Amino acid sequence: MSFPLHRYRRLRRSESLRTMVRETSLAPSDFIAPLFVVPGKGVRQGVASMPGVDRTSADLTGKDAKALADLGVLSVILFGIPDHKDAKGTSSADPEGPVCRAVRAIKAESPKTVVMTDICLCEYTDHGHCGVIKGDTVDNDPTLAILAAEAVAHAKAGADVVAPSDMMDGRVGAIRAALDKEGFADVALLSYAAKYASGFYGPFREAAESTPSFGDRRAYQMDPGNVREAVKEVLSDVAEGADMVMVKPALSYMDVIRAAKEVTNVPLACYNVSGEYAMVKAAAANGWIDGQRVTLEILTSFKRAGADLILTYHAKEASQWIG
Ligand code: PBG
């Protein structure tokens, strides 16, 4: 019997003791801030369902990235809302599109920021799906070349990391090959390896104007009941050349984060998605929870589960809170 020999409360008695024995802690460099870029200049628009998150034109995105870097947030991931959408998402590879312009603006304003770009077609297609449509579904193989062209365009603009979120099979290999062929062997690839068909993306789709006009994404994103399948996705993306992998969403998928951590040694990210953010903000605004405390608890839990990096809309405020 361990009691009274072991009294665990001995090491919980003071903040200093608790800090000394804490197994998991947060730093601003753990966070990757998602930023939404719109066309134009001097534009800043709030997102109703995501208080504290704005959509900005490239010039202001550059300034926001600098402010984040000054707080120690070393990386951002860009999502673009283009002027033009068509069936094939052609504007995704436009060198004058919002993402490419923002990459250049950030590199000018904040050279040390690691600029990541989301690679997907749903913001650029008029039907809102993540690839080209054939009949009533998304056609995997013809989509790969379009995604690869988008990645090459972002690399040309100066992106450090491209992050495919479309969930087409084989896209990591296709993007890696295209980058290498075009002279971008040093551009890294963060794969949204285990991305689930989730109800938690609702506020993002408002911000990115990417809600599918028919059907849903269940025929290409993963089923929420599966974890062994996530392991397969992670292993095959690493085999195809992913430098880092991601689990998304994060909050209700911490077992998936842990499972991914156990099978690979590449850096592991998780995406604390828009719906997770909106829930915390809504409850805090009602006075039902302590928003700061709950946010830091959630972010700590992602790291405890095994995440090395956290994509989160809380990046700025959390960095201010942890100092
Ligand atoms: C797709 C993409 C989505 C998110 C990131 N990339 C939405 C989707 O798959 O429908 C969601 C992020 C969030 O909810 O915060 N390009």
Side-chain angles (χ1 to χ4, degrees):
M1 216 172 52
S2 60
F3 180 81
L5 194 57
H6 289 292
R7 290 182 181 272
Y8 300 111
R9 292 179 51 181
R10 286 178 193 132
L11 298 182
R12 295 178 195 149
R13 285 177 58 230
S14 70
E15 184 54 24
S16 297
L17 276 166
R18 290 189 293 273
T19 301
M20 283 172 65
V21 300
R22 185 166 298 131
E23 299 169 37
T24 310
S25 54
L26 292 169
S29 56
D30 298 332
F31 307 138
I32 300 167
L35 300 177
F36 297 99
V37 194
V38 292
K41 211 172 171 235
V43 184
R44 181 179 294 281
Q45 312 161 332
V47 178
S49 53
M50 301 174 72
V53 174
D54 294 332
R55 311 192 321 169
T56 50
S57 50
D59 53 326
L60 298 185
T61 310
K63 299 216 171 352
D64 287 358
K66 173 75 168 68
L68 284 159
D70 289 343
L71 287 166
V73 179
L74 302 178
S75 184
V76 299
I77 181 164
L78 304 179
F79 297 91
I81 298 98
D83 267 329
H84 303 291
K85 302 191 186 218
D86 62 23
K88 292 188 164 176
T90 315
S91 62
S92 62
D94 179 359
E96 289 308 318
V99 168
C100 289
R101 293 181 57 213
V103 172
R104 294 191 291 265
I106 295 168
K107 285 291 167 188
E109 286 277 344
S110 182
K112 76 173 179 191
T113 296
V114 173
V115 183
M116 304 194 176
T117 63
D118 183 81
I119 302 298
C120 194
L121 301 186
C122 62
E123 295 116 79
Y124 304 94
T125 51
D126 49 16
H127 45 73
H129 277 289
C130 302
V132 295
I133 300 294
K134 185 176 175 192
D136 60 359
T137 190
V138 171
D139 200 0
N140 194 90
D141 298 5
T143 300
L144 301 181
I146 308 175
L147 295 167
E150 180 182 13
V152 168
H154 294 177
K156 277 186 185 149
D160 301 293
V161 181
V162 293
S165 68
D166 51 281
M167 288 303 277
M168 298 303 116
D169 290 317
R171 93 273 209 206
V172 171
I175 292 170
R176 184 71 268 160
L179 289 171
D180 290 356
K181 179 163 167 271
E182 298 293 329
F184 298 105
D186 289 336
V187 170
L189 205 153
L190 162 61
S191 164
Y192 288 65
K195 175 173 174 181
Y196 288 84
S198 170
F200 285 99
Y201 305 150
F204 172 94
R205 292 181 188 171
E206 178 204 331
E209 298 173 14
S210 65
T211 307
S213 60
F214 66 91
D216 55 39
R217 305 208 203 289
R218 284 179 233 243
Y220 43 104
Q221 298 179 347
M222 283 182 57
D223 190 280
N226 295 354
V227 63
R228 282 177 290 150
E229 186 188 1
V231 168
K232 287 197 291 183
E233 284 277 10
V234 164
L235 293 178
S236 61
D237 282 5
V238 172
E240 281 179 42
D243 301 285
M244 302 181 272
V245 292
M246 191 198 302
V247 171
K248 175 184 172 191
L251 193 52
S252 41
Y253 295 84
M254 294 217 207
D255 57 323
V256 182
I257 297 172
R258 171 55 52 190
K261 187 71 172 189
E262 278 166 8
V263 296
T264 181
N265 292 318
V266 303
L268 175 64
C270 68
Y271 199 143
N272 175 210
V273 299
S274 57
E276 300 169 7
Y277 177 83
M279 290 196 305
V280 170
K281 288 292 170 192
N286 276 293
W288 297 336
I289 58 170
D290 175 340
Q292 175 172 338
R293 186 171 172 184
V294 167
T295 298
L296 294 177
E297 187 173 335
I298 289 172
L299 295 171
T300 302
S301 304
F302 296 145
K303 282 198 74 182
R304 194 194 60 232
D308 301 298
L309 296 164
I310 305 167
L311 290 82
T312 179
Y313 303 98
H314 296 290
K316 187 174 185 184
E317 61 185 6
S319 299
Q320 287 164 335
W321 294 335
I322 61 186

